Amino acid sequence: MGRALTALRWLRDKARRSLRYLRSPGAQKTDEWTRWYNDLYRSLGDRALQSGQPGERVPELILYDIEGNHQQLSRCWDKQPALLVTVSLSCGRTRRHARDLRRLSRRFKKSINTVIVYVVEAHPIDAPSPYTDGIWVTPLNEIAGIHCAQPRTLEGRIELAHQLRRRFRLSTSMLIDAMDNRAWRAFGSAPNVAILVEQDGRIAVKQGWFEPQEMSRAITALLKYSGTADYRMSHHE
């Protein structure tokens, strides 16, 4: 009986503490932040999907390889379909799926040209985030020791791309966006967009946020149907 009463008191006190927390300004502030973050997350994904619809051609852009040499974006799909994924070192979503992207690249390497496109930093320490009105250094970046300044030169952006490659042992092909952020803007001005491109340069699938498992299924379907119109219709009606 004594143990049962002790357990009941413990549960009662825990419930009271939880209720006080939920009523506290701190909890309300956390709830507000969570709602703000979820709304921003959805809006970025939606915004990315508004430009470059399936069936449309990917615009021709001049970007840079990891050595700083000019490269036409269309070369990515001149021999086989391509998967383009935008990234930055300070983007938590990039880091979360970096190993998934590496595995995806290896799995389909004989039939899909996977290309990482390094774009503007999502969470620089010295300038407002391109997605908010102020500086936004995330707790995950603090924990991981990611403190990226927003590059002012192409060389600075290339150096961050090298850091990302070393950190996750990425051998996947990589292009660097120009300092006018032309690829970032053309793909929808979002941090982690994924675009599956058919060999004729048309968009087969576009994700506002890179989802590795869904993209793996999309690639399998594309290869099965050889990029026919039936494939695009079945995935985007």
Side-chain angles (χ1 to χ4, degrees), residues 93-103 164 168 170 210:
R93 184 84 177 191
T94 289
R95 300 196 305 276
R96 176 182 174 185
H97 288 312
R99 292 183 177 86
D100 296 321
L101 180 58
R102 184 177 65 191
R103 286 191 289 268
L164 181 69
F168 295 100
L170 296 172
F210 175 48

Side-chain angles (χ1 to χ4, degrees), residues 12-139:
R12 180 198 63 194
D13 293 342
K14 182 178 181 182
R16 286 175 176 172
R17 288 195 298 271
S18 297
L19 185 59
R20 284 197 298 269
Y21 173 77
L22 290 173
R23 289 174 174 172
S24 69
Q28 294 173 8
K29 201 169 191 180
T30 299
D31 290 342
E32 290 174 4
W33 187 91
T34 300
R35 284 193 295 270
W36 171 83
Y37 177 81
N38 289 338
D39 288 345
L40 177 63
Y41 185 88
R42 284 191 295 269
S43 69
L44 289 176
D46 291 344
R47 183 170 71 184
L49 296 177
Q50 290 173 5
S51 63
Q53 303 293 319
E56 296 179 2
R57 293 187 182 278
V58 178
E60 179 62 280
L61 300 171
I62 303 298
L63 304 181
Y64 299 87
D65 64 20
I66 200 70
E67 304 301 329
N69 302 308
H70 290 87
Q71 181 167 318
Q72 289 182 304
L73 183 61
S74 59
R75 289 184 60 188
C76 296
W77 54 84
D78 63 351
K79 292 183 173 61
Q80 59 189 20
L83 172 61
L84 311 177
V85 183
T86 64
V87 305
S88 71
L89 179 60
S90 62
C91 173
R93 184 84 177 191
T94 289
R95 300 196 305 276
R96 176 182 174 185
H97 288 312
R99 292 183 177 86
D100 296 321
L101 180 58
R102 184 177 65 191
R103 286 191 289 268
L104 197 68
S105 174
R106 290 175 177 175
R107 177 183 174 188
F108 294 105
K109 66 180 180 180
K110 292 184 179 180
S111 49
I112 293 288
N113 185 27
T114 302
V115 180
I116 294 170
V117 182
Y118 200 97
V119 296
V120 61
E121 291 302 321
H123 302 283
I125 61 173
D126 65 335
S129 166
Y131 311 111
T132 63
D133 294 330
I135 292 177
W136 179 19
V137 179
T138 67

Side-chain angles (χ1 to χ4, degrees), residues 181-194:
N181 300 321
R182 60 190 64 168
W184 177 75
R185 288 186 284 107
F187 296 168
S189 303
N192 194 214
V193 180

